[in-house]
């Protein structure tokens, strides 16, 4: 789990489900993304594209005036709210598109349900551009084996058989889950789609997500094993 | 570009060569057989370009692109739903599909956005460098046979693939792609097998489209159905996404008119040596692959001096349209610093260009491939 996701998880653990107001985070350590490239970085970079005089590198954009600049804490929280429900951090930290590019992305994603206020788009675009500078190389990417990649979505052993109460699961879902994941689990900007989701066939991972939370998903530590089985039975019945 | 730093690559290379002498290749093998994580959720995983040396890219290093997460589909109850301008709409079971004539075809699968990270100015989207491409032997049923089986009406002009994956949120458009009926009848497969193994969940189980010569966005995974209609899908992914400037535009510009991304343009990749490799002097093999949607690659050239002079490489023939062709160049390497380049020319005379055609979506990157290396004295 990345430090940022962990941080967001901790924030929401302490904030609780009902509150959307996250408390201010402790200042985050600068990440690799914000540090100058190491001397060995060019070797692992993409082949240098042929010179293109028409396209100088986009200069790092200053935080957008006239709006109030976004602090690192606010930016990190907003990133968790707006992006990390649907995307993992790599996609964001590899994206080096400057303020105008980020603004266009935020507008597109807001139209698709991302949790970001319209008035915040300008200042947040500035934060993204500064936090992920176009003129600096992103951190070296992680690697994964095919076995681990497949395991991330593969059903757990024996996962097909769950004896839950579908109606009780539907009631629990309506009470605690529907506000973020949608009434039919079709997903919203606050919580991703769950229909046919691989995690429905990974009961132990599902239980951990429920009881410990992740990202902006709060922990529901009071739910019992049978509550969780009921939820799974309900969710698996959805199409 | 590759998951490894130069030092790591050398280590793997060293371990590999020492290990192969002792017959213990497993660890080096495992270390080299990883995918580069461009996005962990949903999974966008890139093949290290040094792995693109086989006729068929092994499934365990084959790149993965997921618009949304894979849906878990019960193959036992799964049916292919067929609707629209057909005489026999309804569902076909996997058994019924298997009973139609099934066939095998080699074809290159390349993400339309492969190379997006190499465009300047930079662009939003999965930051693929060179390895969102692979070549597999696909087995399945010809879409033309399925269409014949259900009887297509005269007014049918497009086939839309109905995918099983669900957008992350209700406001996100479904991933719907349409292809013209002529292409559907020409060489498209609905595949359940990849390189002799059942299609895995990440690669589209239980059934995916294989659209030879066309970019990966048409190769819809987790197929649940087909819609036969007189028009292409009106949604975002046909009307707004996957568009390319109708006429070239300057980098950073806005196109006045756009066309749909379909055929892969002529392209070659240098698989080895790796970027940043340090080689011994003497005989070295520069090798890679070449492909394109318009026709066979007829000529592959390698430059040792950033394109000032070119040398013909040895190029395999194309077994069938949509397959890739491997190539190799024997190089008497002399000490120095090199910027190796490769360029392919297809049967229509189209030559891989020096500069990529910049476009706002970051699609169809096909500039001369490029690898820096050093030959030690």
């Amino acid at each position: 789990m990345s430090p940022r996701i962990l941080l967001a998880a901790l924030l929401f653990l302490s904030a609780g489900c009902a509150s959307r107001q996250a408390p201010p985070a402790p200042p985050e350590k600068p990440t690799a993304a914000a540090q100058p490239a190491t001397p060995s970085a060019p070797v692992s970079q993409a082949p240098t594209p042929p010179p293109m005089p028409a396209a100088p590198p986009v200069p790092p954009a200053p935080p957008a005036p006239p709006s109030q600049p976004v602090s690192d804490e606010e930016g990190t929280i907003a990133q968790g709210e707006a992006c990390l429900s649907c995307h993992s951090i790599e996609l964001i930290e590899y994206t080096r598109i400057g303020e105008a590019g980020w603004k266009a992305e935020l507008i597109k994603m807001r139209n698709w349900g991302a949790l970001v206020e319209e008035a915040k788009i300008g200042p947040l675009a500035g934060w993204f551009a500064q936090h992920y500078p176009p003129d600096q190389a992103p951190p070296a990417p992680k690697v994964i084996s095919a076995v681990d990649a497949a395991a991330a979505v593969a059903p757990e052993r024996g996962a097909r058989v769950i004896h839950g109460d579908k109606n009780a699961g539907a009631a629990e879902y309506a009470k605690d889950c529907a506000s973020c994941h949608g009434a039919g689990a079709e997903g919203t900007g606050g919580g991703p789609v769950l229909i046919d989701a691989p995690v429905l066939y990974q009961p132990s991972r599902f239980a951990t997500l429920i009881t410990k939370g992740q990202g902006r998903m709060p922990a529901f530590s009071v739910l019992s094993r049978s509550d969780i089985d009921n939820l799974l039975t309900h969710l698996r019945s959805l199409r | 570009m590759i998951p490894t730093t130069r030092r790591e690559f050398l280590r793997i290379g060293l371990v590999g060569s020492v290990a192969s002498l002792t017959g213990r290749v497993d660890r080096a093998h495992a270390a080299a057989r990883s995918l580069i994580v461009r996005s962990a959720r949903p999974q966008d995983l890139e093949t290290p370009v040094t792995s693109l040396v086989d006729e068929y890219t092994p499934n365990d290093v084959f790149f993965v692109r997921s618009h949304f997460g894979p849906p878990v589909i019960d193959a036992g109850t799964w049916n292919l739903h067929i609707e629209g301008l057909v005489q026999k709409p309804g569902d076909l079971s996997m058994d019924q599909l298997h009973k139609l004539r099934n066939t095998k075809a080699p074809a290159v699968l390349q993400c339309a956005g492969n190379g997006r990270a190499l465009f300047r100015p930079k662009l939003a989207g999965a930051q693929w460098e060179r390895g969102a491409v692979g070549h597999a032997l696909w087995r399945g049923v010809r879409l033309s046979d399925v269409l014949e089986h259900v009887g297509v009406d005269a007014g049918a002009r497009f086939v839309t693939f109905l995918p099983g994956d669900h957008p992350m949120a209700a406001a996100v458009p479904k991933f719907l792609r349409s292809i013209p009926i002529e292409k559907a009848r020409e060489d498209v497969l609905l595949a359940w097998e990849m390189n002799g193994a059942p299609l895995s969940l990440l690669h589209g189980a239980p059934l995916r489209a294989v659209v030879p010569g066309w970019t990966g966005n048409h190769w819809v995974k987790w197929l649940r159905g087909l819609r036969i209609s007189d028009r292409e899908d009106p949604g975002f992914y046909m009307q707004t996404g996957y568009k390319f400037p109708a006429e070239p535009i300057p980098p950073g510009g806005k196109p006045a008119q756009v066309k749909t991304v379909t055929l892969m343009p002529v392209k070659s990749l240098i698989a080895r040596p790796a970027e940043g490799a340090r080689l011994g002097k003497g005989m070295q093999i520069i090798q890679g692959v070449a492909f394109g949607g318009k026709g066979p690659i007829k000529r592959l050239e390698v430059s040792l001096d950033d394109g000032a002079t070119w040398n013909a490489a040895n190029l395999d023939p194309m077994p069938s349209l949509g397959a890739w062709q491997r190539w190799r160049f024997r190089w008497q390497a002399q000490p120095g610093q090199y910027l190796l380049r490769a360029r392919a020319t297809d049967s229509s005379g189209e030559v891989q260009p020096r500069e990529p055609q910049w476009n706002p979506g970051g699609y169809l990157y096909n500039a001369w491939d490029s690898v820096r290396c050093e030959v030690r004295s």
Side-chain angles (χ1 to χ4, degrees), chain A residues 55-114:
Chain A
V58 183
S67 322
Q68 197 71 355
V70 173
S71 73
D72 206 25
E73 295 86 338
E74 289 169 319
T76 303
I77 292 167
Q79 171 180 266
E81 286 287 287
C83 314
L84 296 180
S85 277
C86 296
H87 301 289
S88 57
I89 189 70
E90 301 83 15
L91 183 69
I92 297 157
E93 65 188 6
Y94 300 159
T95 300
R96 304 293 168 127
I97 52 178
E99 189 169 350
W102 279 110
K103 194 170 174 187
E105 280 306 295
L106 284 164
I107 291 169
K108 176 182 173 190
M109 292 302 157
R110 185 172 185 276
N111 286 335
W112 286 1

Side-chain angles (χ1 to χ4, degrees), chain B residues 105-128:
Chain B
V108 177
L109 170 55
Q110 179 180 225
C111 180
N114 191 25
R116 178 180 290 120
L118 311 181
F119 282 109
R120 298 293 180 275
K122 295 176 186 175
L123 293 156
Q127 297 297 300
W128 301 116

Side-chain angles (χ1 to χ4, degrees), chain A residues 126-189:
Chain A
W127 181 84
F128 277 104
Q130 204 169 50
H131 208 70
Y132 304 114
D135 58 348
Q136 282 179 23
K142 300 184 196 82
V143 297
I144 191 171
S145 71
V147 171
D148 289 344
V153 297
E156 291 169 4
R157 208 177 243 289
R160 302 258 171 204
V161 189
I162 294 282
H163 300 289
D165 177 335
K166 197 173 109 179
N167 292 332
E172 171 54 36
Y173 181 84
K175 179 161 93 55
D176 283 332
C177 317
S179 62
C180 290
H181 292 279
E186 68 281 9
T188 77

